[in-house]
Amino acid sequence: MNIAENISLRHFNTFGIDVTAAFFTEIFSLDELKEALEFAKAKEFPVLVLGGGSNVLFTQDFNGLVIKNSIGGINIIKEDGEQVYINVGGGVVWHEFVLFCLQHNYAGVENLALIPGCAGASPMQNIGAYGVEIKEVFYELNALNRFDLAEQKFNNTACEFGYRESVFKNKYKEQFVITDVTYRLNKTPHFKVEYGAIRQQLEKDNIKELTIQAIANAVIAIRSSKLPDPKVIGNAGSFFKNPSVLLPEFQMLKEKFPQVIAYPNHDGTMKIAAGWMIEQCGFKGMRRGDAGVHNKQALVLVNYGDAKGNEILQLCQEIQAIVFEKFSVEIMPEVNII
């Protein structure tokens, strides 16, 4: 294991924020992870674990040890006539795993194509898109306790999944490092094309026979048309969560704003489209120096070049305040702010 000092993190976060890590290491195995954590513990350094860096906004230098999780591997561990169980290293790029599933005709993650980040973050965030959440294909994961270096297994129930939430963002926040994840994919697909613009895109693509590849292609086309490429414009995808409100509150909101975009949740609440509210407040396409709101998707905050993390955070806070003033609905960042 090699520990470097005073390393720029600009190329390790998709916002492209130029901050410095006092110490930095990249790990490729569980043993190297343990060694890195032991080093940090002995030096009493704070620790930050990065995967793809696609869900973080740096507002300052990190005066501790940054660990880049690059644990790899995509391995089928068991299968039967209906399902296949695939173990994926926490550092595997998520879309590479999706491509693996498409290549082998394993169904369940096609709606989640092109989501940035690594596999290890997928259960932490309960990533989701176009009517599918990771909890639907998640089987179990292995994680390492940062403090006592004990290995622990979590099944679906233990993860306590919620909307963009899990136990790792609440009760166990910053306590575990996810080393690998096992997903349960279907050999016979159950297509989900009702959400968002998927059906329209499939019609545009003149798809006559529905396949998981066709759905993935549609999702990739939609995401590419709406979301900026982080390699071109710094961003972390959707910056805000879609807030959920009780039905009476939604009905009052709809009386005042008949065009409000919302979707029903399983618990009877209504999920309001945060991007629609932000756009109604006039922020879509707004730019403050190199910090801005993307001109095609108001949920996405962007770094046009040399924006500071605090400049993007200030824009976030301004958006939150104006949205609440107009709609009396609080929107919260999906991105981790450091």
Side-chain angles (χ1 to χ4, degrees):
M1 181 190 67
N2 178 50
I3 304 249
E5 296 186 37
N6 298 318
I7 298 298
S8 171
L9 297 178
R10 184 165 198 155
H11 299 295
F12 296 98
N13 71 98
T14 58
F15 257 120
I17 303 297
D18 191 12
V19 294
T20 299
F23 299 91
F24 179 91
T25 189
E26 186 172 8
I27 59 99
F28 298 89
S29 67
L30 177 61
D31 287 342
E32 288 183 347
L33 174 59
K34 290 180 178 180
E35 187 180 351
L37 291 171
E38 286 172 342
F39 168 82
K41 185 176 181 179
K43 299 290 187 180
E44 298 184 345
F45 290 154
V47 171
L48 174 65
V49 179
L50 287 180
S54 61
N55 199 51
V56 60
L57 173 65
F58 285 106
T59 61
Q60 57 188 328
D61 293 336
F62 190 77
N63 190 28
L65 175 65
V66 171
I67 301 174
K68 171 71 170 69
N69 183 354
S70 293
I71 297 174
I74 301 177
N75 299 292
I76 296 173
I77 56 174
K78 64 177 179 177
E79 61 181 304
D80 55 34
E82 295 294 325
Q83 297 175 318
V84 57
Y85 296 76
I86 307 174
N87 181 262
V88 184
V92 171
V93 173
W94 172 257
H95 189 61
E96 291 182 4
F97 169 58
V98 174
L99 293 177
F100 174 89
C101 294
L102 294 172
Q103 179 184 356
H104 293 85
N105 205 33
Y106 299 143
V109 293
E110 55 275 6
N111 292 52
L112 306 179
L114 213 62
I115 291 180
C118 294
S122 66
M124 182 178 295
Q125 292 287 120
N126 186 23
I127 61 173
Y130 302 105
V132 175
E133 290 183 322
I134 202 65
K135 66 180 182 181
E136 298 170 42
V137 296
F138 174 87
Y139 181 65
E140 65 182 15
L141 64 80
N142 290 306
L144 185 70
N145 191 303
R146 296 189 186 200
F147 304 105
D148 62 11
L149 303 187
E151 299 172 41
Q152 187 167 336
K153 193 179 295 290
F154 290 82
N155 62 18
N156 200 305
T157 302
C159 288
E160 299 180 13
F161 290 123
Y163 172 60
R164 302 298 181 269
E165 295 285 350
S166 74
V167 71
F168 302 103
K169 292 187 70 176
N170 297 293
K171 181 166 57 177
Y172 295 140
K173 186 176 182 179
E174 298 181 356
Q175 186 171 332
F176 288 92
V177 180
I178 297 172
T179 56
D180 61 88
V181 186
T182 298
Y183 305 92
R184 180 170 52 201
L185 283 298
N186 296 312
K187 294 184 176 180
T188 302
H190 305 286
F191 301 122
K192 293 190 177 182
V193 296
E194 294 77 21
Y195 192 95
I198 293 183
R199 191 174 292 279
Q200 293 95 314
Q201 185 65 42
L202 290 169
E203 292 175 358
K204 182 179 178 181
D205 294 341
N206 197 30
I207 299 299
K208 303 299 183 182
E209 182 179 354
L210 202 56
T211 65
I212 60 173
Q213 185 66 65
I215 292 174
N217 290 342
V219 169
I220 290 170
I222 296 167
R223 293 184 69 89
S224 298
S225 69
K226 291 184 176 181
L227 303 175
D229 184 345
K231 296 176 182 177
V232 179
I233 303 174
N235 73 93
S238 297
F239 195 92
F240 297 97
K241 302 177 187 178
N242 291 318
S244 292
V245 300
L246 297 173
L247 188 57
E249 186 178 351
F250 170 71
Q251 291 170 337
M252 291 176 60
L253 190 65
K254 190 168 180 61
E255 286 181 10
K256 191 172 182 180
F257 303 98
Q259 302 303 314
V260 62
I261 299 174
Y263 307 94
N265 292 316
H266 294 303
D267 62 1
T269 61
M270 295 294 293
K271 185 186 298 180
I272 312 298
W276 179 85
M277 292 191 291
I278 295 168
E279 186 173 346
Q280 297 306 303
C281 292
F283 284 102
K284 188 176 182 179
M286 178 179 288
R287 181 167 176 171
R288 301 276 173 79
D290 276 350
V293 181
H294 195 242
N295 58 7
K296 292 184 179 179
Q297 173 53 267
L299 269 183
V300 180
L301 303 190
V302 296
N303 174 12
Y304 285 106
D306 292 312
K308 305 296 183 186
N310 277 324
E311 294 173 334
I312 294 173
L313 178 58
Q314 288 171 6
L315 180 57
C316 158
Q317 293 169 338
E318 181 182 350
I319 291 170
Q320 287 178 296
I322 299 300
V323 166
F324 186 80
E325 181 181 333
K326 184 177 182 70
F327 296 102
S328 298
V329 175
E330 185 176 17
I331 57 173
M332 299 300 295
E334 183 175 331
V335 171
N336 296 311
I337 298 169
I338 297 174

